[in-house]
mmCIF file of all heavy atoms in Angstrom:
data_model
loop_
_atom_site.group_PDB
_atom_site.id
_atom_site.type_symbol
_atom_site.label_atom_id
_atom_site.label_comp_id
_atom_site.label_asym_id
_atom_site.label_seq_id
_atom_site.Cartn_x
_atom_site.Cartn_y
_atom_site.Cartn_z
ATOM 1 N N SER W 65 81.032 144.159 114.142
ATOM 2 C CA SER W 65 81.950 145.305 114.051
ATOM 3 C C SER W 65 81.333 146.498 114.726
ATOM 4 O O SER W 65 80.199 146.870 114.408
ATOM 5 C CB SER W 65 82.204 145.593 112.588
ATOM 6 O OG SER W 65 82.839 146.852 112.445
ATOM 7 N N PHE W 66 82.065 147.076 115.651
ATOM 8 C CA PHE W 66 81.559 148.305 116.333
ATOM 9 C C PHE W 66 82.313 149.552 115.872
ATOM 10 O O PHE W 66 81.753 150.626 115.809
ATOM 11 C CB PHE W 66 81.676 148.152 117.845
ATOM 12 C CG PHE W 66 80.803 147.058 118.368
ATOM 13 C CD1 PHE W 66 81.348 145.857 118.817
ATOM 14 C CD2 PHE W 66 79.428 147.200 118.423
ATOM 15 C CE1 PHE W 66 80.546 144.827 119.288
ATOM 16 C CE2 PHE W 66 78.610 146.191 118.907
ATOM 17 C CZ PHE W 66 79.183 144.999 119.322
ATOM 18 N N ASN W 67 83.574 149.382 115.553
ATOM 19 C CA ASN W 67 84.400 150.565 115.236
ATOM 20 C C ASN W 67 84.224 151.071 113.807
ATOM 21 O O ASN W 67 84.166 152.285 113.570
ATOM 22 C CB ASN W 67 85.866 150.235 115.490
ATOM 23 C CG ASN W 67 86.105 149.947 116.982
ATOM 24 O OD1 ASN W 67 85.435 150.497 117.832
ATOM 25 N ND2 ASN W 67 87.049 149.061 117.276
ATOM 26 N N ILE W 68 84.129 150.149 112.856
ATOM 27 C CA ILE W 68 84.093 150.568 111.447
ATOM 28 C C ILE W 68 82.793 151.354 111.129
ATOM 29 O O ILE W 68 82.881 152.404 110.465
ATOM 30 C CB ILE W 68 84.345 149.381 110.513
ATOM 31 C CG1 ILE W 68 85.836 148.997 110.625
ATOM 32 C CG2 ILE W 68 83.974 149.699 109.062
ATOM 33 C CD1 ILE W 68 86.278 147.826 109.768
ATOM 34 N N PRO W 69 81.625 150.927 111.597
ATOM 35 C CA PRO W 69 80.442 151.736 111.272
ATOM 36 C C PRO W 69 80.605 153.181 111.759
ATOM 37 O O PRO W 69 80.227 154.139 111.035
ATOM 38 C CB PRO W 69 79.292 150.997 112.034
ATOM 39 C CG PRO W 69 79.745 149.605 112.073
ATOM 40 C CD PRO W 69 81.257 149.670 112.259
ATOM 41 N N LYS W 70 81.185 153.350 112.976
ATOM 42 C CA LYS W 70 81.402 154.717 113.483
ATOM 43 C C LYS W 70 82.382 155.450 112.627
ATOM 44 O O LYS W 70 82.177 156.625 112.276
ATOM 45 C CB LYS W 70 81.928 154.629 114.929
ATOM 46 C CG LYS W 70 80.832 154.445 115.937
ATOM 47 C CD LYS W 70 81.428 154.596 117.367
ATOM 48 C CE LYS W 70 80.802 153.576 118.269
ATOM 49 N NZ LYS W 70 81.712 153.044 119.295
ATOM 50 N N MET W 71 83.487 154.796 112.247
ATOM 51 C CA MET W 71 84.498 155.442 111.430
ATOM 52 C C MET W 71 83.934 155.875 110.082
ATOM 53 O O MET W 71 84.359 156.873 109.489
ATOM 54 C CB MET W 71 85.663 154.480 111.140
ATOM 55 C CG MET W 71 86.558 154.263 112.333
ATOM 56 S SD MET W 71 87.778 152.995 111.959
ATOM 57 C CE MET W 71 88.777 153.822 110.767
ATOM 58 N N LEU W 72 82.969 155.094 109.572
ATOM 59 C CA LEU W 72 82.399 155.419 108.276
ATOM 60 C C LEU W 72 81.286 156.457 108.387
ATOM 61 O O LEU W 72 80.687 156.849 107.390
ATOM 62 C CB LEU W 72 81.831 154.138 107.620
ATOM 63 C CG LEU W 72 82.840 153.012 107.333
ATOM 64 C CD1 LEU W 72 82.125 151.823 106.730
ATOM 65 C CD2 LEU W 72 83.931 153.518 106.397
ATOM 66 N N GLY W 73 81.005 156.865 109.625
ATOM 67 C CA GLY W 73 79.915 157.828 109.802
ATOM 68 C C GLY W 73 78.536 157.203 109.639
ATOM 69 O O GLY W 73 77.555 157.875 109.274
ATOM 70 N N CYS W 74 78.445 155.894 109.840
ATOM 71 C CA CYS W 74 77.164 155.176 109.737
ATOM 72 C C CYS W 74 76.907 154.406 111.012
ATOM 73 O O CYS W 74 76.914 153.135 111.025
ATOM 74 C CB CYS W 74 77.193 154.178 108.577
ATOM 75 S SG CYS W 74 77.630 154.854 106.986
ATOM 76 N N PRO W 75 76.681 155.078 112.136
ATOM 77 C CA PRO W 75 76.523 154.357 113.409
ATOM 78 C C PRO W 75 75.324 153.393 113.444
ATOM 79 O O PRO W 75 75.307 152.505 114.284
ATOM 80 C CB PRO W 75 76.362 155.485 114.444
ATOM 81 C CG PRO W 75 75.967 156.696 113.650
ATOM 82 C CD PRO W 75 76.539 156.531 112.285
ATOM 83 N N LEU W 77 74.620 151.354 111.053
ATOM 84 C CA LEU W 77 74.931 150.162 110.236
ATOM 85 C C LEU W 77 75.165 148.955 111.169
ATOM 86 O O LEU W 77 75.894 149.069 112.137
ATOM 87 C CB LEU W 77 76.193 150.434 109.436
ATOM 88 C CG LEU W 77 76.669 149.338 108.467
ATOM 89 C CD1 LEU W 77 75.722 149.214 107.282
ATOM 90 C CD2 LEU W 77 78.094 149.612 108.000
ATOM 91 N N ALA W 305 92.925 150.167 101.470
ATOM 92 C CA ALA W 305 92.404 150.983 102.564
ATOM 93 C C ALA W 305 91.545 150.157 103.490
ATOM 94 O O ALA W 305 91.603 150.240 104.722
ATOM 95 C CB ALA W 305 91.609 152.190 101.993
ATOM 96 N N ALA W 306 90.687 149.291 102.900
ATOM 97 C CA ALA W 306 89.817 148.417 103.696
ATOM 98 C C ALA W 306 90.651 147.373 104.479
ATOM 99 O O ALA W 306 90.382 147.082 105.638
ATOM 100 C CB ALA W 306 88.809 147.743 102.791
ATOM 101 N N LYS W 308 93.718 147.676 105.545
ATOM 102 C CA LYS W 308 94.374 148.323 106.669
ATOM 103 C C LYS W 308 93.381 148.651 107.777
ATOM 104 O O LYS W 308 93.670 148.504 108.963
ATOM 105 C CB LYS W 308 95.060 149.621 106.227
ATOM 106 C CG LYS W 308 96.295 149.395 105.391
ATOM 107 C CD LYS W 308 97.019 150.723 105.310
ATOM 108 C CE LYS W 308 97.876 150.838 104.079
ATOM 109 N NZ LYS W 308 98.448 152.171 103.910
ATOM 110 N N MET W 309 92.180 149.074 107.385
ATOM 111 C CA MET W 309 91.159 149.449 108.341
ATOM 112 C C MET W 309 90.777 148.254 109.191
ATOM 113 O O MET W 309 90.580 148.361 110.418
ATOM 114 C CB MET W 309 89.924 150.014 107.611
ATOM 115 C CG MET W 309 88.869 150.609 108.492
ATOM 116 S SD MET W 309 87.397 151.090 107.579
ATOM 117 C CE MET W 309 87.942 152.562 106.801
ATOM 118 N N LEU W 310 90.669 147.090 108.594
ATOM 119 C CA LEU W 310 90.301 145.876 109.335
ATOM 120 C C LEU W 310 91.344 145.564 110.417
ATOM 121 O O LEU W 310 90.999 145.182 111.538
ATOM 122 C CB LEU W 310 90.152 144.698 108.379
ATOM 123 C CG LEU W 310 88.825 144.712 107.610
ATOM 124 C CD1 LEU W 310 88.925 143.867 106.344
ATOM 125 C CD2 LEU W 310 87.685 144.202 108.503
ATOM 126 N N SER W 312 93.650 147.800 111.740
ATOM 127 C CA SER W 312 93.877 148.861 112.713
ATOM 128 C C SER W 312 92.642 149.222 113.541
ATOM 129 O O SER W 312 92.744 149.684 114.654
ATOM 130 C CB SER W 312 94.403 150.101 112.046
ATOM 131 O OG SER W 312 93.480 150.564 111.085
ATOM 132 N N ALA W 313 91.454 148.943 113.010
ATOM 133 C CA ALA W 313 90.226 149.306 113.742
ATOM 134 C C ALA W 313 89.532 148.129 114.389
ATOM 135 O O ALA W 313 88.805 148.299 115.361
ATOM 136 C CB ALA W 313 89.263 150.045 112.782
ATOM 137 N N GLU W 314 89.728 146.941 113.851
ATOM 138 C CA GLU W 314 88.960 145.793 114.368
ATOM 139 C C GLU W 314 89.818 144.641 114.868
ATOM 140 O O GLU W 314 89.278 143.665 115.400
ATOM 141 C CB GLU W 314 88.023 145.252 113.252
ATOM 142 C CG GLU W 314 86.953 146.210 112.795
ATOM 143 C CD GLU W 314 85.838 146.427 113.804
ATOM 144 O OE1 GLU W 314 85.829 145.767 114.859
ATOM 145 O OE2 GLU W 314 84.984 147.283 113.548
ATOM 146 N N LEU W 326 84.783 144.549 102.134
ATOM 147 C CA LEU W 326 84.568 145.799 102.908
ATOM 148 C C LEU W 326 84.729 147.014 101.994
ATOM 149 O O LEU W 326 83.977 147.970 102.112
ATOM 150 C CB LEU W 326 85.567 145.852 104.094
ATOM 151 C CG LEU W 326 85.526 147.186 104.886
ATOM 152 C CD1 LEU W 326 84.143 147.441 105.489
ATOM 153 C CD2 LEU W 326 86.603 147.183 105.974
ATOM 154 N N ILE W 330 81.904 149.888 101.539
ATOM 155 C CA ILE W 330 82.168 151.329 101.704
ATOM 156 C C ILE W 330 81.710 152.069 100.463
ATOM 157 O O ILE W 330 81.031 153.103 100.548
ATOM 158 C CB ILE W 330 83.648 151.582 102.027
ATOM 159 C CG1 ILE W 330 84.020 150.968 103.401
ATOM 160 C CG2 ILE W 330 83.968 153.074 101.994
ATOM 161 C CD1 ILE W 330 85.493 150.960 103.738
ATOM 162 N N LEU W 333 77.864 152.076 100.347
ATOM 163 C CA LEU W 333 77.266 152.947 101.354
ATOM 164 C C LEU W 333 77.360 154.391 100.863
ATOM 165 O O LEU W 333 76.415 155.186 101.017
ATOM 166 C CB LEU W 333 78.016 152.831 102.704
ATOM 167 C CG LEU W 333 77.727 151.601 103.539
ATOM 168 C CD1 LEU W 333 78.747 151.518 104.694
ATOM 169 C CD2 LEU W 333 76.296 151.576 104.082
#
Side-chain angles (χ1 to χ4, degrees):
S65 167
F66 296 106
N67 297 328
I68 289 179
K70 278 189 220 145
M71 286 174 68
L72 299 178
C74 305
L77 182 71
K308 288 193 206 173
M309 188 185 285
L310 283 159
S312 61
E314 296 287 356
L326 175 60
I330 293 171
L333 283 169

